[in-house]
Every structure is written in C-alpha cells, then in structure tokens.
Amino acid sequence: WSACSKEDILPQPLSSISSSINFNNSQSVASFASPWEEPGKWNVKDSSGFKVFTYQRQMPELSEAIVNKGVVMVWAKDLLDPTIGLMDKPMLTPFYFFPDNERPKYTEYWYPTPTVGAVNISFRTNDNEPVQNPNNKVKLRYIIIPQEVLQKNNQTPSSVYHLTYTQIINMLGIGA
C-alpha cells in the first residue's frame, strides 16, 4: 500500500467511499462501515498522571439520532502490546491491556467517544513509564448502526455489543 501524496493517505468521509460501505440499500436508513484505516495524527495531553493520545475521525454521517439511539462501534487490530506482542484480531473498543502482575504499573486503555459528526478514539496509559505514540500500524474500523437497523435485526444497542466481529459483519452483510 503506498500513496503519492499526503492527501492520498488521509481518511475519507464515509460518504466518499459509499460504494464500499453502504450495505443496507433496501432500507430507508443505512448502516455504514469504513474500511480498515490507519489513524492520522494523534494529539497528546497529560491528564492526572496519565498520557492520553486522541485521534479524531470526521464522520458527517454520524447524526444525533445515531449517537443517542444507534450504535457506533470502533474496532482495532494490529496493536502492539508490550507484554503480549502483536494483537492482529479485531478488538471492539473500549478495552484494556494489563500486564500479568496484579498491580500493573503500565496499563493501556483504548476507548471511543462518538459525537455528532465525528468519533474520537483515545488511548490512555500510565505516565510513569516512557510512552510512545500509539503504534502507527494500528488499524481502526468504524461501524455505524442506526436504531432502525438494530430493530430490523432484533438487536438493541446493548445486545449488539455482545456479538463478535464476525457476527456483526455477517448480520450487516459486509466484508471482513
């Protein structure tokens, strides 16, 4: 995978790649899924003994109705954990990485914050160890499921979070 310019590697609005993400054309309200993407620039701040890295993904399709009554899922893969190694299977955020000992001095917490028009994905870690920017090879995939699509599939915002990645993509008819 290569790009000729910086613009070629910037994430595109979901609407600009609708042919690969609009997978419920028969419904009046569609679900969306981005391709696997590498995040762009992470912003960092110190917060009460933690370093918090945040990446904002613009999503004009993310309406107030979806934020309030639908589901916004952010899946991550190709994460490099210092104690486990490469995590190449999709993991639904939020999640933690803890070392094996009972009183970890180094933890990682990944979590999304959906808002109208954007999703922030954050990575928080203890500030007592040298911390580097999140692995640039991490890939994120965003799946937006409006309330109507949940209902059509006999799901609720709570129940859909108990499904695996494979069950989600099969339910919505999208590729892995």
Side-chain angles (χ1 to χ4, degrees), residues 45-152:
K45 69 177 182 174
D46 291 319
S47 176
S48 303
F50 293 94
K51 283 217 187 292
V52 180
F53 295 86
T54 302
Y55 169 70
Q56 184 175 73
R57 172 63 156 89
Q58 296 296 315
M59 293 188 175
E61 298 81 3
L62 197 48
S63 67
E64 187 172 347
I66 293 171
V67 170
N68 292 333
K69 295 185 179 181
V71 171
V72 178
M73 295 178 145
V74 180
W75 294 83
K77 71 176 185 176
D78 296 344
L79 298 153
L80 187 59
D81 180 78
T83 59
I84 299 171
L86 183 66
M87 305 292 290
D88 59 353
K89 304 273 188 232
M91 297 175 59
L92 179 62
T93 60
F95 60 83
Y96 281 95
F97 283 134
F98 285 109
D100 293 333
N101 57 14
E102 289 207 16
R103 295 181 144 253
K105 65 178 185 173
Y106 180 79
T107 62
E108 296 178 11
Y109 177 45
W110 291 78
Y111 58 98
T113 308
T115 60
V116 175
V119 174
N120 289 330
I121 183 75
S122 298
F123 160 78
R124 184 187 77 190
T125 187
N126 304 51
D127 198 17
N128 60 358
E129 293 286 322
V131 177
Q132 296 182 10
N133 206 25
N135 179 358
N136 288 336
K137 296 184 187 283
V138 65
K139 292 182 183 67
L140 302 173
R141 187 173 197 191
Y142 307 88
I143 297 178
I144 300 172
I145 310 173
Q147 180 182 28
E148 296 84 352
V149 176
L150 290 170
Q151 291 170 343
K152 180 180 184 274

